[in-house]
Amino acid sequence: MNFREYKIGSRMFGVALGGSMCITLLLPSLDIASVEATNVSMDKQLTAGYETGWNVYDPLMLGHHKPIKVLLKTDPTSGKAMEPEYAYVYEKGTPFPGGVNHPNNLGGRAQRLSLSIGKIGEAHSGAGAVFLIKTDDQKRAYIEDATITMGWNPDAVLKAAGDENVSHAGAGKTLFVREGCWWCHTLLPEQTQDWQVFGAPPMLGDFNGESPTAFGSDRKAPDLLHVGSRNSSREWMMLHFYNPRLVQPHSIMPRFDYLWGEVDAEGKKIDYAKWDSEFNAYRAGKRDVPPDVPTYAANSEVRWLIDFVLNMK
Amino acid sequence: MFKYLFSKNEAIPAGSSAVYFGFSAIVWFVIGTGLGAFNASKLAFPDFVHGLEFVSFGHMRQVHVHAVIFGWISMAFAMAMMYITPALGNTKLWSEKLGLWNCFLWNIGLSVGLTVLWAGMTSGREYSDFPWFIDIYISLFMALPLGVNVWMTIINRRTQGIYTTNWFFAAASFMLIIVFIVGNLPEYFHLTGLTEAYLTWWFAHNILGLWITPVAAAIAYYTIPKVTGNPLYSHRIGHLHFWSIVVFYSTPAAHHLMSAPLPEWLKSFASVEGVLILVPAIAFVSNILMTMEGKWNMFVENLEVRFTVTGALLAIPLNMQGGFQQTRAINWYIHGTGWIVAHAHLALLGFSTFMEVAAVYLGLQTILKRKLYSITLGNIHYWFLLIGFTVYWVSMTIAGLIQGAGKIYEVPYIDVVIAEHPYMIARWLGGSLVFLGNCVWLYNMWMTTRVGTLVPKGRMPHELAYER
């Protein structure tokens, strides 16, 4: 029997699929690779660190090996008061974000400035580093490694800042991804509307070095990209995470009480069952006020998550 | 089945891997829709089950999605390939042993992958949520063996030409591997930023466009002619369908990110290509409906034909939505709302699932040589699926339109949540009906293997009368 070999068809298939990939992958990636990083994307990647999806540094997604963002009010070397400034502290062994590992991610100009003035090429994650976002005399943003340029080491910076100025927003973003917050809360105000309530849509260079971007596609809840500007109350966030129905009776958000862990801020064991029964009594009209929400411990997961949410300005 | 994993290939009965894949698919369908219904209950009643991380909505949503896509749909596809490819090549499957190992590794990989997702270990990228070590496993141990078996069976065929269904099977199983490798590049090489965002949707778009849609359609190209006895209406329209899928369906990935700051040329290009998906869509639907000519009585009388044609009819609203909702003129209103959720279920639970259900019904009866245990249970399955899906689709479409209105008028979000509540309850009821229908199906199929009427050699199952 004379078999047909489909030679022309196979070649046509290769050409069609290859052509399609050229247009949808090669050309866009060349275009996107040339995007200049804004200070927003520098802040986001320095806050979140290397990766907040699954990665080998944090395989169980516990928020480990993450940078710490601090608001610095005193100079860590001299101890004198200084103009408040955000510093991104990478303790020994914390992996650096994409823009520091591969400065070409920052786009042409920011890359040049970050390497020449900011010295990020000399940063070494084995030794730890403290990064700052600086602007040059023409207001062009770049990343600076203060460990190299000013001799700030991570421990001294954390000590100078004090716990009240420390934000674990990076670890919080890992929890944001792990707990699936982004299945309902988008991080993408849309260009055609959303300006008034959810704030300005992101710009082209606002994502360099960030992974995952976690835009979200199925908005069942408010957009959170600028939520820290709308509501900056840590107290409200705490109540809302423990049981959203405490502050918004119609909310369909799940309770995140389990992120409190075993003990509260004073080290007392949290009795979830008791809280539940008291809350049920309140809802049934048998109590006048709902039970008090336990204050979270300083190293609890919910603290990190609240840090992340409040950090989204 | 397990004893055959270490038997000689010749000692394994023909069709074993299809049976193994078929039952795995049905079990995953029950699990996947059960999870879906449970998730929906949490959207309607957020305090329903609470306090445990493992049953929180954010941990379970992706498990539902991946259980139905890679458990139900993809394993039903593999099942169809295992028995349709050799049947159309007038030959045996190239290797039943490879097929059985493929199914075994598939179940293992999927169980591990879903457990990992359930624990929250996710890449954080929608549809490519699996961490990269699972993605590599899927490419090498799930997709590649399937492709090898299909390609080798086609190469060793005993017919001169290759029938339409087999072009699609061969090409789609190849494209599945490519999509898994290329779409997950951000995870393998830690690509970040807009590249990551864009490739996330490149993967999501193409897993639907180059795997699910073409294979579902290819199955219908087999089922309808086979059961009705009519030849396919037009081989040439099949050509048009195939080539336009490759060219038009592989290009519009960016239309999922119309409101993100991607390059404008890319969004415009994607949008135009997105409308052109109507070409393969119309080619497919018209080809199937024209093949039914003179046999429309079977739409009522025959379960497999009824499922397949219902799927083809559901492809009409699916593609009318899909072609136009991604244009800028419409997308701004419905983007990110329940409308999209409804559309996704129209594609996967409506169009595609109905095709696969027919293929699994037909395949299991043919291979096992047993007539379906009960037509009543089969009918219950059909109506539970159709009514459950319709309730879901209508309620989510309405909820999406409410959300869209709330979005453009910037209504306080909580008012949208309140307005959507009845539709969330309806969605849960619809999903539960689908889940119940599938439980019935599993029972019916199991009883078929035990006590179904034996089909004599040389007869098709549908030529026999039902006994129950």
Side-chain angles (χ1 to χ4, degrees):
Chain A
M1 205 191 306
N2 195 14
F3 281 75
R4 285 179 62 190
E5 291 181 345
Y6 290 87
K7 272 188 184 162
I8 297 173
S10 315
R11 284 171 197 165
M12 288 292 290
F13 178 74
V15 169
L17 198 63
S20 140
M21 291 230 196
C22 179
I23 298 173
T24 61
L25 289 171
L26 188 63
L27 299 182
S29 60
L30 292 176
D31 208 350
I32 293 172
S34 66
V35 169
E36 194 76 37
T38 60
N39 57 345
V40 173
S41 70
M42 290 180 195
D43 170 67
K44 282 203 285 188
Q45 61 173 291
L46 288 172
T47 303
Y50 174 73
E51 166 72 42
T52 46
W54 190 86
N55 66 91
V56 291
Y57 300 103
D58 186 12
L60 296 175
M61 312 253 317
L62 299 172
H64 294 165
H65 295 288
K66 285 284 144 191
I68 300 166
K69 181 177 179 179
V70 301
L71 183 60
L72 207 51
K73 292 171 184 164
T74 53
D75 187 306
T77 43
S78 65
K80 287 185 195 139
M82 58 180 260
E83 193 70 12
E85 184 173 13
Y86 284 109
Y88 306 85
V89 180
Y90 284 68
E91 293 177 291
K92 254 181 221 166
T94 306
F96 291 154
V100 177
N101 284 336
H102 306 286
N104 57 331
N105 273 0
L106 299 172
R109 195 183 56 226
Q111 176 192 3
R112 277 197 308 281
L113 292 173
S114 304
L115 284 173
S116 59
I117 317 176
K119 309 279 185 214
I120 61 168
E122 295 164 43
H124 180 48
S125 71
V130 178
F131 294 104
L132 306 171
I133 298 172
K134 293 282 192 185
T135 45
D136 70 352
D137 45 12
Q138 291 169 57
K139 303 259 180 223
R140 298 179 302 193
Y142 63 93
I143 299 175
E144 178 173 315
D145 181 356
T147 308
I148 303 292
T149 58
M150 290 186 284
W152 292 4
N153 74 56
D155 291 340
V157 172
L158 285 180
K159 209 169 140 210
D163 192 56
E164 70 277 13
N165 291 318
V166 162
S167 166
H168 292 273
K173 189 176 170 195
T174 298
L175 298 186
F176 185 83
V177 172
R178 184 188 83 190
E179 294 301 322
C181 309
W182 55 288
W183 289 125
C184 303
H185 293 283
T186 49
L187 295 181
L188 186 71
E190 295 179 14
Q191 291 170 348
T192 40
Q193 63 278 321
D194 286 349
W195 290 75
Q196 280 190 23
V197 176
F198 296 138
M203 307 297 284
L204 195 56
D206 286 357
F207 303 102
N208 294 31
E210 187 186 11
S211 175
T213 41
F215 287 159
S217 67
D218 177 8
R219 192 191 277 174
K220 297 187 276 295
D223 188 280
L224 294 186
L225 190 67
H226 303 297
V227 64
S229 306
R230 295 199 295 275
N231 183 347
S232 58
S233 165
R234 202 165 265 280
E235 181 81 19
W236 190 93
M237 292 294 167
M238 188 176 88
L239 299 178
H240 188 249
F241 273 119
Y242 197 85
N243 185 340
R245 263 72 61 201
L246 284 172
V247 287
Q248 178 45 268
H250 297 289
S251 168
I252 59 166
M253 183 167 128
R255 303 185 194 184
F256 288 94
D257 46 6
Y258 54 82
L259 294 180
W260 263 246
E262 293 281 308
V263 293
D264 67 7
E266 290 153 11
K268 277 196 307 199
K269 199 166 177 352
I270 301 174
D271 190 345
Y272 291 103
K274 179 162 168 271
W275 196 94
D276 249 24
S277 63
E278 288 177 3
F279 182 70
N280 288 342
Y282 163 69
R283 264 209 300 212
K286 293 177 193 141
R287 270 176 70 111
D288 294 335
V289 287
D292 283 339
V293 169
T295 309
Y296 54 78
N299 60 352
S300 60
E301 291 189 326
V302 72
R303 187 258 168 108
W304 301 344
L305 191 53
I306 292 177
D307 281 355
F308 172 70
V309 171
L310 293 178
N311 187 55
M312 286 192 283
K313 298 288 185 191
Chain B
M1 285 296 161
F2 293 108
K3 71 180 178 191
Y4 290 129
L5 288 176
F6 298 102
S7 314
K8 283 206 174 86
N9 192 33
E10 299 76 41
I12 305 172
S16 298
S17 36
V19 172
Y20 192 7
F21 263 118
F23 272 98
S24 302
I26 301 175
V27 171
W28 281 114
F29 198 16
V30 172
I31 295 172
T33 48
L35 284 170
F38 185 67
N39 289 352
S41 75
K42 302 193 74 130
L43 290 173
F45 310 104
D47 285 329
F48 173 45
V49 179
H50 66 88
L52 294 166
E53 185 161 3
F54 276 76
V55 290
S56 68
F57 180 84
H59 280 256
M60 292 192 25
R61 187 210 194 257
Q62 62 270 48
V63 182
H64 157 67
V65 171
H66 288 75
V68 293
I69 292 183
F70 296 107
W72 157 240
I73 292 176
S74 297
M75 288 186 100
F77 283 172
M79 186 270 183
M81 291 178 177
M82 294 286 150
Y83 84 90
I84 294 177
T85 312
L88 290 172
N90 194 17
T91 181
K92 283 200 283 195
L93 186 66
W94 182 62
S95 170
E96 283 289 345
K97 192 169 176 174
L98 179 65
L100 286 174
W101 271 100
N102 191 3
C103 184
F104 179 65
L105 293 174
W106 197 303
N107 279 313
I108 300 277
L110 191 64
S111 307
V112 172
L114 294 182
T115 309
V116 161
L117 280 188
W118 205 317
M121 292 156 67
T122 161
S123 66
R125 306 171 61 227
E126 190 168 358
Y127 289 107
S128 39
D129 309 62
F130 285 130
W132 54 257
F133 58 91
I134 302 284
D135 295 328
I136 292 174
Y137 181 96
I138 293 177
S139 321
L140 292 183
F141 300 110
M142 289 157 65
L144 185 63
L146 176 66
V148 168
N149 231 344
V150 169
W151 306 325
M152 291 310 290
T153 305
I154 292 176
I155 288 171
N156 290 313
R157 72 192 183 276
R158 296 194 295 169
T159 53
Q160 193 190 28
I162 303 176
Y163 178 67
T164 321
T165 298
N166 275 356
W167 318 329
F168 277 100
F169 282 176
S173 51
F174 172 74
M175 292 189 291
L176 174 67
I177 300 170
I178 297 291
V179 169
F180 252 93
I181 291 172
V182 175
N184 286 302
L185 284 177
E187 291 171 44
Y188 304 144
F189 298 108
H190 199 248
L191 310 178
T192 56
L194 279 179
T195 314
E196 183 270 329
Y198 175 56
L199 272 170
T200 297
W201 287 101
W202 190 90
F203 176 93
H205 179 83
N206 287 322
I207 197 77
L208 291 165
L210 302 183
W211 172 242
I212 294 177
T213 312
V215 180
I219 287 173
Y221 279 145
Y222 174 79
T223 331
I224 292 296
K226 183 74 184 174
V227 179
T228 59
N230 280 350
L232 183 65
Y233 174 69
S234 166
H235 191 73
R236 282 186 185 232
I237 295 180
H239 269 286
L240 177 66
H241 178 195
F242 179 86
W243 290 106
S244 54
I245 281 267
V246 176
V247 174
F248 297 143
Y249 217 144
S250 65
T251 38
H255 71 200
H256 296 261
L257 288 168
M258 289 303 275
S259 56
L262 281 182
E264 289 298 320
W265 70 264
L266 183 60
K267 288 195 269 185
S268 301
F269 171 76
S271 199
V272 173
E273 295 287 302
V275 178
L276 287 172
I277 294 178
L278 284 167
V279 175
I282 293 169
F284 163 67
V285 174
S286 54
N287 215 356
I288 290 297
L289 296 186
M290 293 303 280
T291 305
M292 284 295 291
E293 204 173 353
K295 294 288 172 65
W296 278 98
N297 59 318
M298 295 188 89
F299 178 45
V300 181
E301 293 159 6
N302 181 286
L303 194 59
E304 291 81 31
V305 170
R306 196 195 310 156
F307 265 111
T308 312
V309 172
T310 308
L313 292 174
L314 288 173
I316 297 170
L318 170 70
N319 291 295
M320 287 300 155
Q321 281 191 339
F324 296 110
Q325 72 187 21
Q326 45 89 40
T327 60
R328 287 171 206 264
I330 299 175
N331 192 261
W332 71 286
Y333 197 89
I334 47 98
H335 179 80
T337 69
W339 172 287
I340 304 295
V341 182
H343 175 75
H345 282 80
L346 177 57
L348 298 185
L349 177 58
F351 158 69
S352 151
T353 284
F354 277 73
M355 306 286 179
E356 290 124 46
V357 167
V360 174
Y361 267 117
L362 178 65
L364 286 178
Q365 293 180 72
T366 313
I367 300 160
L368 297 167
K369 300 193 173 55
R370 293 231 184 221
K371 177 81 176 169
L372 187 66
Y373 170 67
S374 162
I375 182 62
T376 312
L377 295 181
N379 283 333
I380 287 176
H381 181 217
Y382 175 84
W383 287 109
F384 273 31
L385 236 57
L386 188 62
I387 295 171
F389 157 72
T390 309
V391 168
Y392 186 102
W393 184 61
V394 170
S395 63
M396 284 315 291
T397 300
I398 297 172
L401 291 172
I402 293 172
Q403 257 178 299
K407 183 171 77 162
I408 62 162
Y409 295 113
E410 305 206 23
V411 170
Y413 205 89
I414 194 63
D415 293 334
V416 176
V417 172
I418 295 168
E420 279 186 313
H421 187 237
Y423 304 99
M424 291 293 156
I425 297 173
R427 156 197 231 183
W428 166 59
L429 292 174
S432 303
L433 213 52
V434 171
F435 168 63
L436 287 177
N438 288 333
C439 294
V440 170
W441 187 28
L442 182 60
Y443 172 76
N444 199 9
M445 233 52 232
W446 181 252
M447 291 307 284
T448 304
T449 66
R450 303 277 124 181
V451 294
T453 316
L454 284 170
V455 178
K457 209 170 169 29
R459 289 282 167 196
M460 293 276 291
H462 71 265
E463 294 169 334
L464 273 68
Y466 285 100
E467 293 184 357
R468 286 169 206 88

